[in-house]
Amino acid sequence: MTVPAAPHRSVAEADADVIVVGAGPAGSTTAFHLAQAGLDVLLLEKTAFPREKVCGDGLTPRAVKQLIAMGIDIDAPGWVRNKGLRVVGGGLRFELDWPELSSYPDFGLVRTRQDFDEILAANAVRGGARLLQGVNVTGPILDDRSGHIVGVTAKKDGEEVAYRSRLVVAADGNSTRISLAMGLHKREDRPMGVAVRTYFTSPRHDDDYLETWLELWDGDQLLPGYGWIFGVGDGTSNVGLGLLNTSESFKGMDYRDLLKRWTRNMPPEWGYTEENMTTPIRGAALPMAFNRQPHYTRGLVLVGDAGGMINPFNGEGIAYAMETGRIAAETVVQALGRDTAAQRERVLRAYPQVLKDAYGGYFTLGRGFVELISRRGVMNFATRHALPHPRLMRFALKLLANLTDRRGDASDRIINALSKVAPPA
């Protein structure tokens, strides 16, 4: 697939209503919804498609819902459906189907990020956004009087360029240079994770379930995190692990070596050996639970990983990247439809509270969960005593994957009530 290129434009012609920095899932989703609402959107991507991103490549029903809403053809070749989650731990191995809900589909998907991000970027272009690739945004352009961001500076083909807009959306991931330049730094009281993964040629490439291993050992220490095996459907499996920074050995740990040691103990017929590895082991940080705030300031709107919108329960980021992209787009459309600057600002300043209402209580529960499983012995106890109870595990799947109906069954009502009464993140 080739993403259509935006035509060459001068700086004046490149001006837009909204500039979106970063064409990952958050940026492309934001750009799509903005363009569909009739706004002139410029989507800036520092690399060129296709390009790789470190990820498990697994998409839960939350993510699938957003893809369907944008008209993505998930029945096209390359999309691999899954029925649910296979859990391995405590000497047990069992399968949990995705719950049957009115709010979400009952299946997940797998698609490599190399394909996935390009598909979303191409969809944003089809929706009306203009995409420029190879544009590395270097900083904000600020209004001298108000201090609001009114555009960005960037490097393209070795030249300094500038693009101006009425608003800017930061969708440039965990590193988010544009947010840092606007004075938005990480909160140290939020959990951070790390994920490492590689691909192996394997007969397990067409698995019907996403597989998670709840026991990651470093010597005699059970680590807070999990391993995964996701069949990609192209002859390979995405195999990786995610760990929380709450572990005592987090800073000094060699995650790549840990992944190698973990896969070394797997059945040889699965093929997870170094000679079957098709890519190097790569890692990435996972910013969780709103670790960068506020999500709006002086003309800058944060979406996805730039705002730390990863679920602390399970490390899922793509669904929340797309969801917050849609929410941000709805807010921006309403704001730019107002008559005065004061009215526009009032709408935009409500955006952080909209996110807190949607995710704040749930993310607070997730932070408590992270703190709990990081205590020595808790993870081992939970693995040994919770896994043998199917009803409890079905509840846990709904909680960890954030999959409930507003007026669902008893488990839905419990999870929704807990999220509602928990203080917003």
Side-chain angles (χ1 to χ4, degrees), residues 224-248:
Y226 66 91
W228 70 76
I229 300 172
F230 298 165
V232 182
D234 62 354
T236 66
S237 297
N238 180 318
V239 182
L241 53 86
L243 291 171
L244 295 161
N245 65 351
T246 48
S247 169
E248 296 173 2

Side-chain angles (χ1 to χ4, degrees), residues 19 139-142 148-153 162-168 178:
I19 288 172
I141 299 172
L142 301 180
H148 276 55
I149 185 170
V150 291
V152 297
T153 57
Y163 305 98
R164 292 181 177 272
S165 63
R166 300 170 70 186
L167 285 171
V168 175
I178 197 74

Side-chain angles (χ1 to χ4, degrees), residues 151-230:
V152 297
T153 57
K155 285 188 177 180
K156 179 172 174 57
D157 300 326
E159 296 183 6
E160 297 284 345
V161 292
Y163 305 98
R164 292 181 177 272
S165 63
R166 300 170 70 186
L167 285 171
V168 175
V169 175
D172 47 347
N174 175 57
S175 57
T176 186
R177 180 184 294 182
I178 197 74
S179 301
L180 290 171
M182 292 288 288
L184 299 179
H185 298 279
K186 293 178 183 176
R187 294 183 56 158
E188 298 302 324
D189 62 343
R190 296 292 188 266
M192 178 70 74
V194 65
V196 293
R197 67 96 176 96
T198 187
Y199 296 89
F200 294 96
T201 302
S202 171
R204 301 195 62 198
H205 71 98
D206 57 353
D207 199 337
D208 283 340
Y209 287 83
L210 302 177
E211 185 166 294
T212 60
W213 291 48
L214 300 185
E215 291 179 297
L216 290 176
W217 293 92
D218 184 28
D220 61 351
Q221 183 181 3
L222 184 59
L223 302 172
Y226 66 91
W228 70 76
I229 300 172
F230 298 165

Side-chain angles (χ1 to χ4, degrees), residues 82-398:
N82 56 73
K83 300 175 181 177
L85 200 63
R86 182 182 300 111
V87 180
V88 181
L92 300 173
R93 181 184 182 90
F94 58 91
E95 292 167 349
L96 296 168
D97 287 352
W98 296 119
E100 294 185 6
L101 302 168
S102 63
S103 302
Y104 300 98
D106 63 351
F107 64 93
L109 294 167
V110 173
R111 186 91 191 207
T112 66
R113 288 293 298 275
Q114 188 169 28
D115 290 340
F116 183 77
D117 288 19
E118 188 172 11
I119 289 168
L120 290 193
N123 193 61
V125 172
R126 281 192 296 271
R130 290 182 283 129
L131 172 68
L132 291 180
Q133 302 179 59
V135 178
N136 188 11
V137 171
T138 54
I141 299 172
L142 301 180
D143 181 86
D144 291 337
R145 291 178 298 177
S146 68
H148 276 55
I149 185 170
V150 291
V152 297
T153 57
K155 285 188 177 180
K156 179 172 174 57
D157 300 326
E159 296 183 6
E160 297 284 345
V161 292
Y163 305 98
R164 292 181 177 272
S165 63
R166 300 170 70 186
L167 285 171
V168 175
V169 175
D172 47 347
N174 175 57
S175 57
T176 186
R177 180 184 294 182
I178 197 74
S179 301
L180 290 171
M182 292 288 288
L184 299 179
H185 298 279
K186 293 178 183 176
R187 294 183 56 158
E188 298 302 324
D189 62 343
R190 296 292 188 266
M192 178 70 74
V194 65
V196 293
R197 67 96 176 96
T198 187
Y199 296 89
F200 294 96
T201 302
S202 171
R204 301 195 62 198
H205 71 98
D206 57 353
D207 199 337
D208 283 340
Y209 287 83
L210 302 177
E211 185 166 294
T212 60
W213 291 48
L214 300 185
E215 291 179 297
L216 290 176
W217 293 92
D218 184 28
D220 61 351
Q221 183 181 3
L222 184 59
L223 302 172
Y226 66 91
W228 70 76
I229 300 172
F230 298 165
V232 182
D234 62 354
T236 66
S237 297
N238 180 318
V239 182
L241 53 86
L243 291 171
L244 295 161
N245 65 351
T246 48
S247 169
E248 296 173 2
S249 54
F250 181 85
K251 291 182 179 179
M253 187 175 294
D254 185 338
Y255 309 107
R256 290 167 176 81
D257 181 64
L258 180 62
L259 177 59
K260 290 178 181 178
R261 284 187 278 130
W262 178 51
T263 54
R264 210 173 284 145
N265 293 322
M266 292 181 182
E269 61 268 23
W270 292 359
Y272 300 144
T273 59
E274 290 200 40
E275 55 267 27
N276 288 337
M277 197 181 293
T278 63
T279 67
I281 299 174
R282 293 191 171 94
L286 304 175
M288 298 176 173
F290 292 163
N291 81 328
R292 184 175 279 106
Q293 297 184 41
H295 292 122
Y296 170 75
T297 182
R298 294 181 294 140
L300 182 71
V301 178
L302 273 60
V303 294
D305 287 10
M309 299 176 195
I310 289 180
N311 183 347
F313 277 108
N314 64 0
E316 179 183 13
I318 291 178
Y320 300 92
M322 292 192 291
E323 288 178 6
T324 57
R326 175 184 53 78
I327 293 170
E330 291 171 354
T331 303
V332 169
V333 168
Q334 290 299 319
L336 294 186
R338 299 297 195 267
D339 291 330
T340 68
Q343 291 172 337
R344 290 191 289 272
E345 192 70 9
R346 189 176 301 118
V347 175
L348 291 164
R349 286 181 177 174
Y351 172 67
Q353 188 59 49
V354 172
L355 294 183
K356 286 180 182 292
D357 291 344
Y359 307 110
Y362 177 78
F363 280 179
T364 296
L365 293 178
R367 288 163 53 204
F369 171 80
V370 165
E371 183 179 338
L372 184 65
I373 67 170
S374 301
R375 296 177 182 174
R376 183 176 289 274
V378 171
M379 190 75 174
N380 193 13
F381 179 87
T383 302
R384 299 292 173 183
H385 296 280
L387 294 184
H389 300 281
R391 182 177 295 180
L392 180 58
M393 291 310 299
R394 285 194 293 271
F395 174 84
L397 176 64
K398 281 189 170 186

